[in-house]
Amino acid sequence: MKPLRIGVSARLLYPDPRRVFLPTKTVQYLEQSVAGWVMSGEVLAFMVPEMSVASPHLPANVTVADYVDALDGLVLQGGADIAPESYGEVAMNPEWTGDRVRDRYEIALFEEFVRQGKPVFGICRGCQLINVALGGSLYQDINTQVPATLQHRCDKRYENNFHDLKVLPGTWLSDLYPGTGIAHINTIHHQAVKAVGRGLVVEAVSEPDGVVEAIRWEGPSWVMGVQWHPEFMDPRDPKLLDGRPMLTAFLDACRERRETGRPRPVHATPQDR
């Protein structure tokens, strides 16, 4: 069988005269670590471009559905804040206005993948995007809105900032990581899930402050989001939660969708199929 084809949403950089390269152009890119993490599953990774701001030379008849038709699954990678307008709020701080263009692009991608019953895995911003796309909301800034929290973001340490994770009992993650009540993960975010979206359940929270760290959709197809960055963590480090089981589960769901044409929810076991 040919390798799976996994789409990855693009990060966006907008024109900036201070930038040495392409100062007047919008840059779309796929971060190297997430590309490598996805491809470590022996699959092909394809960045799915955002088309509304690319250039005046856009195709007349190529749609989001055409991209989804050609792919087996979607990874929503991390990046800029989600715009508060995307979940019905106004920015509390000018620095938290987020990226409304990217929100619309990724929500459209998410909705089409879900419509076609193809799996979606969200990382950091991607986890938040899933929540917002399903009607949930976010804390615009954890330290401002949630008292006595951990340091969920440290720009000086970036991916080397860590905290503990509590895997909630009876969840899909607890089955995926049996015997793992408390794990250790990286943390690079100042926003997080506030009101949980339609059909979503919380799978894990930060320990001890209880900020949402993983969500799962109970709908008819495979949708999962995690707040941490498994692609930035060394799987050889025994202190850290190994992201390979999550990647394998996601790719297995993509493979089953390709082979059978039928979607499968995250919680399905082999006996459920």
Side-chain angles (χ1 to χ4, degrees):
M1 179 179 290
K2 293 182 179 179
L4 291 173
R5 296 164 295 185
I6 304 301
V8 186
S9 62
R11 293 185 181 226
L12 305 179
L13 289 177
Y14 298 102
D16 184 346
R18 298 168 298 179
R19 198 166 65 214
V20 175
F21 68 99
L22 299 174
T24 64
K25 303 299 180 184
T26 295
V27 177
Q28 306 192 41
Y29 68 100
L30 170 55
E31 194 278 322
Q32 181 174 339
S33 297
V34 76
W37 185 70
V38 170
M39 290 188 295
S40 73
E42 305 301 326
V43 302
L44 302 177
F46 296 86
M47 190 189 79
V48 183
E50 196 285 333
M51 293 187 285
S52 72
V53 296
S55 79
H57 307 291
L58 292 173
N61 299 306
V62 175
T63 67
V64 168
D66 293 319
Y67 271 100
V68 180
D69 286 342
L71 298 168
D72 298 303
L74 173 68
V75 172
L76 295 163
Q77 65 171 320
D81 289 350
I82 298 209
E85 287 80 5
S86 294
Y87 48 94
E89 295 186 10
V90 175
M92 299 165 59
N93 183 315
E95 296 181 358
W96 307 336
T97 54
D99 189 340
R100 188 77 174 100
V101 170
R102 183 173 171 188
D103 296 349
R104 288 192 291 263
Y105 145 69
E106 288 187 316
I107 288 172
L109 267 182
F110 172 78
E111 290 178 342
E112 184 60 25
F113 269 91
V114 167
R115 190 189 71 78
Q116 295 196 24
K118 295 184 176 183
V120 178
F121 187 85
I123 296 173
C124 196
R125 172 194 160 91
C127 176
Q128 298 169 15
L129 190 283
I130 289 169
N131 189 58
V132 169
L134 291 171
S137 64
L138 305 177
Y139 290 114
Q140 293 187 31
D141 182 69
I142 297 169
N143 290 340
T144 301
Q145 296 180 272
V146 184
T149 57
L150 299 166
Q151 188 174 30
H152 287 264
R153 182 183 179 100
C154 177
D155 289 337
K156 289 183 179 180
R157 293 198 295 269
Y158 201 62
E159 74 265 30
N160 293 313
N161 189 43
F162 301 95
H163 64 55
D164 283 343
L165 173 84
K166 181 178 181 180
V167 178
L168 299 182
T171 59
W172 178 80
L173 275 180
S174 69
D175 287 340
L176 191 67
Y177 295 97
T180 304
I182 301 295
H184 206 54
I185 55 167
N186 61 14
T187 178
I188 319 168
H189 63 106
H190 79 102
Q191 301 189 319
V193 170
K194 182 170 63 174
V196 178
R198 296 182 301 276
L200 291 169
V201 294
V202 177
E203 293 272 313
V205 297
S206 53
E207 176 71 16
D209 60 3
V211 171
V212 173
E213 292 284 343
I215 53 176
R216 171 179 58 85
W217 191 43
E218 291 192 304
S221 65
W222 203 103
V223 177
M224 184 80 192
V226 300
Q227 188 61 70
W228 65 95
H229 285 261
E231 77 277 19
F232 291 164
M233 298 196 297
D234 188 343
R236 298 167 297 183
D237 188 338
K239 299 189 300 295
L240 301 176
L241 187 69
D242 187 354
R244 288 174 293 187
M246 290 188 297
L247 178 63
T248 297
F250 165 65
L251 295 178
D252 283 348
C254 293
R255 192 169 290 108
E256 182 174 334
R257 170 63 177 79
R258 177 199 273 189
E259 292 174 356
T260 68
R262 297 191 305 270
R264 173 168 60 90
V266 182
H267 55 77
T269 63
Q271 291 76 24
D272 295 326
R273 297 176 197 171

